Amino acid sequence: MKTLAIRLLLALSVGTTSYTSIYAQVAPSPADTTRKYENPGGMPAAVKQPFLKSKLFKAVAIPAVLITYGAITAQGDAGINRSAREFTQRQFRPVNTMIDNTVIFLPYLELGAVALAGVESRNDRINTLLIIAKGEAIMLASTFAVKYLAHETRPNGQDNLSFPSGHTAQAFLAASIVHTEFRDKSQWYGVGAYTIATSVAALRMINDKHWQSDVVAGAGFGILSAHLAYLSHRNRWGRKSIGRDVSMTPAYFGSGASGVSLSWRPTR
């Protein structure tokens, strides 16, 4: 009897030891804290937008269509180029080329006039000027590089720098910036700017400086340059207004004299 009791105690002792050993093996390991500061706010991970809805696609879609069309139809005095030139020469007479060289900057004048009138733009003055400078650099580099590579002869035979139209690219670059800066206020600012840019393209064809393929591609290069400038820009100086308290109103000074009253309240 005593021997049986001893055997039972030994069995219980061995069973307890075995259970303790097994419990030690399945105990949970310490939590990994090496990544606990990666998302301290607990914000959900950003969902990646499909390419067709991305900013890059929206920025390059229309310019790519215009540039591709211009490149396909850039056949010199043939095809649609010849038809468009003959139609233009029948309907219009050449005008002074000084108009072409002046009108291309009118969208920038519109930008300045609207800003002086006190309309709030998308970016402050410094960042807008930086975007303009960046867009101009992209436009000039791309258009002149393609001009020398394409080696397209102008309709009037002046030189071999016809494709694409630099004047048209310049006008549409400025128009695109005006549209982007003020589209939240009114779409009519952009409509006015793009109307000016389209008139530049028409004048280049009327003056026999460019084929229709040149001006269509030039519009694409101008819009693309503006979009790339915005995509690559970072608002390093913030969005604080710089001298935005500017207003311009008509004024009457008596004795039949009238003019414009300009007031400016500088901000700190």
Side-chain angles (χ1 to χ4, degrees), residues 225-240:
S225 299
H227 289 179
L228 292 179
Y230 277 103
L231 282 176
S232 60
H233 185 69
R234 295 294 178 269
N235 225 338
R236 299 186 185 280
W237 282 268
R239 300 180 60 84
K240 185 179 179 180

Side-chain angles (χ1 to χ4, degrees), residues 136-154:
E136 291 286 343
I138 296 172
M139 184 273 296
L140 291 172
S142 58
T143 54
F144 278 96
V146 176
K147 277 179 179 289
Y148 284 102
L149 290 173
H151 206 65
E152 181 77 11
T153 304
R154 295 182 187 272

Side-chain angles (χ1 to χ4, degrees), residues 140-255:
L140 291 172
S142 58
T143 54
F144 278 96
V146 176
K147 277 179 179 289
Y148 284 102
L149 290 173
H151 206 65
E152 181 77 11
T153 304
R154 295 182 187 272
N156 60 6
Q158 181 180 356
D159 56 40
N160 295 323
L161 301 175
S162 186
F163 182 88
S165 170
H167 282 67
T168 307
Q170 173 63 70
F172 273 87
L173 164 64
S176 184
I177 291 176
V178 171
H179 172 68
T180 303
E181 289 297 323
F182 296 111
R183 65 186 176 189
D184 294 334
K185 301 300 180 181
S186 175
Q187 292 290 337
W188 288 107
Y189 297 119
V191 170
Y194 280 120
T195 300
I196 295 172
T198 304
S199 68
V200 172
L203 286 171
R204 298 306 284 172
M205 294 181 62
I206 291 172
N207 287 332
D208 211 27
K209 294 287 187 179
H210 285 287
W211 308 101
Q212 64 85 33
S213 58
D214 303 338
V215 298
V216 173
F221 276 102
I223 297 172
L224 179 63
S225 299
H227 289 179
L228 292 179
Y230 277 103
L231 282 176
S232 60
H233 185 69
R234 295 294 178 269
N235 225 338
R236 299 186 185 280
W237 282 268
R239 300 180 60 84
K240 185 179 179 180
S241 300
I242 300 176
R244 289 192 185 278
D245 293 333
V246 180
S247 61
M248 183 171 57
T249 57
Y252 179 73
F253 301 104
S255 301

